[in-house]
Amino acid sequence: MDTKPYLIALDLDGTLLKDDKTISAYNKEIIKKAKEAGHIVCIATGRPFRSSSIYYEELDLSTPIVNFNGAYVHHPKDNKWGTYHTTLDLEVVKEIITVSEKHNLHNVLAEIIDDVYFHYHDEKLLDVFSMGNPNTTIGDLRQNLGEDVTSVLIHAAEEDVEKIRTYLSDVHAEVVDHRRWAAPWHVIEIIRAGMNKAIGLQKIASHYNIPQDRIIAFGDEDNDLEMLQYAGHGVAMGNATDEVKNVANKKTKTNEEDGIAYYLKEVLSL
């Protein structure tokens, strides 16, 4: 058995988490065994820290975490490790809001680490974003935002999502990257250009001196693509999108079938 440590990077939604947003007992058991065998486990998610910290605690982790798809990377248990927060320019954000309002817009949200700003009052989205009890401000973002932001989410009518994305690509490609959320949400997520989970994972890997060929990363959605390309073992979940399956060099079972445990048990002989 290979005794050198591997770095194991876990996406949350659709990967580690079952559809009911819980971690299965079997996944938990095998992840614990991996840690006991000396492997390093971390989380890499599009979520903010406030809504991923419960899973960080549940897995009893003591590693850095990648949030906001790489725009925010820090070590919850070691302030000296450093904080990497890559933001969007406030003036660009204001411009994007002004243009988005010309479309069939439901809402715009801006997040600054764990503070959430809503352009309009929105019960449905308030519910989705209330996990971890963030400070929430409601009202025109152009007035309420006083500093550069971590992430912007635009919730628009389905037929307008592509129009807004085209504008972002045409006008702001140098400064922003945008992705579309999976159905049923017609949401465009915007972070600083060049940010992705692989960037965060590189910081963690270099901290632990783990080479790429000993990185195992699991994912299911397009925000996992760069991370799966970067990792020596880029593992697509059985429920992953076709694009993710094409980029990954390994595959496992779905998030409902303990795909992570199934893969780690076999590859690391746990």
Side-chain angles (χ1 to χ4, degrees), residues 16-17 21-25 28 31-32 35 43 52-61 77:
L16 173 66
L17 304 183
K21 304 300 180 195
T22 61
I23 304 173
S24 74
K28 216 182 298 188
I31 289 166
K32 187 167 184 265
K35 285 165 58 194
I43 288 171
S52 41
S53 59
I54 59 163
Y55 304 113
Y56 183 92
E57 297 302 332
E58 191 177 347
L59 294 177
D60 194 24
L61 299 183
K77 297 192 172 164

Side-chain angles (χ1 to χ4, degrees), residues 13-226:
D13 299 281
T15 300
L16 173 66
L17 304 183
K18 297 194 304 182
D19 294 342
D20 66 3
K21 304 300 180 195
T22 61
I23 304 173
S24 74
Y26 189 50
N27 266 343
K28 216 182 298 188
E29 180 197 331
I30 295 299
I31 289 166
K32 187 167 184 265
K33 280 189 174 170
K35 285 165 58 194
E36 284 165 355
H39 302 297
I40 299 153
V41 177
C42 67
I43 288 171
T45 178
R47 289 178 178 229
F49 181 62
R50 65 175 185 277
S51 61
S52 41
S53 59
I54 59 163
Y55 304 113
Y56 183 92
E57 297 302 332
E58 191 177 347
L59 294 177
D60 194 24
L61 299 183
S62 54
T63 46
I65 182 169
V66 178
N67 291 113
F68 289 109
N69 294 320
Y72 182 55
V73 185
H74 81 297
H75 195 316
K77 297 192 172 164
D78 180 6
N79 291 336
K80 293 192 296 295
W81 189 80
T83 297
Y84 302 92
H85 184 209
T86 313
T87 53
L88 290 162
D89 182 271
L90 183 55
E91 291 311 310
V92 172
V93 170
K94 288 179 177 177
E95 215 175 296
I96 290 170
I97 293 161
T98 300
V99 171
S100 299
E101 283 186 332
K102 296 176 180 146
H103 294 274
N104 194 347
L105 184 69
H106 300 316
N107 214 335
V108 186
L109 269 78
E111 298 189 72
I112 303 176
I113 305 196
D114 284 322
D115 295 339
V116 186
Y117 295 80
F118 288 80
H119 199 48
Y120 306 120
H121 185 83
D122 190 325
E123 285 301 325
K124 203 169 163 188
L125 280 181
L126 274 167
D127 192 43
V128 172
F129 283 83
S130 62
M131 191 172 175
N133 296 321
N135 292 322
T136 305
T137 308
I138 298 169
D140 193 317
L141 297 182
R142 289 161 298 199
Q143 262 104 59
N144 286 336
L145 289 172
E147 58 184 307
D148 293 351
V149 303
T150 316
S151 159
V152 172
L153 301 173
I154 298 174
H155 185 209
E158 186 173 7
E159 62 276 8
D160 281 84
V161 165
E162 286 315 312
K163 292 180 206 163
I164 296 170
R165 289 194 70 179
T166 301
Y167 154 76
L168 291 170
S169 295
D170 290 350
V171 181
H172 297 293
E174 299 297 305
V175 285
V176 308
D177 278 349
H178 54 94
R179 303 175 184 278
R180 186 176 183 152
W181 278 18
W185 293 100
H186 304 299
V187 169
I188 305 161
E189 177 178 287
I190 306 169
I191 56 175
R192 172 87 159 266
M195 284 296 106
N196 57 62
K197 291 183 182 183
I199 304 273
L201 197 53
Q202 278 166 342
K203 290 186 170 77
I204 296 173
S206 73
H207 172 73
Y208 292 107
N209 292 319
I210 306 278
Q212 269 173 276
D213 61 334
R214 289 212 312 277
I215 298 174
I216 303 173
F218 295 91
D220 69 310
E221 278 287 340
D222 76 344
N223 64 338
D224 298 310
L225 288 167
E226 295 89 351

Side-chain angles (χ1 to χ4, degrees), residues 229-246:
Q229 280 170 308
Y230 167 68
H233 297 239
V235 189
M237 303 301 292
N239 50 291
T241 64
D242 289 344
E243 198 181 357
V244 169
K245 285 178 176 167
N246 290 336

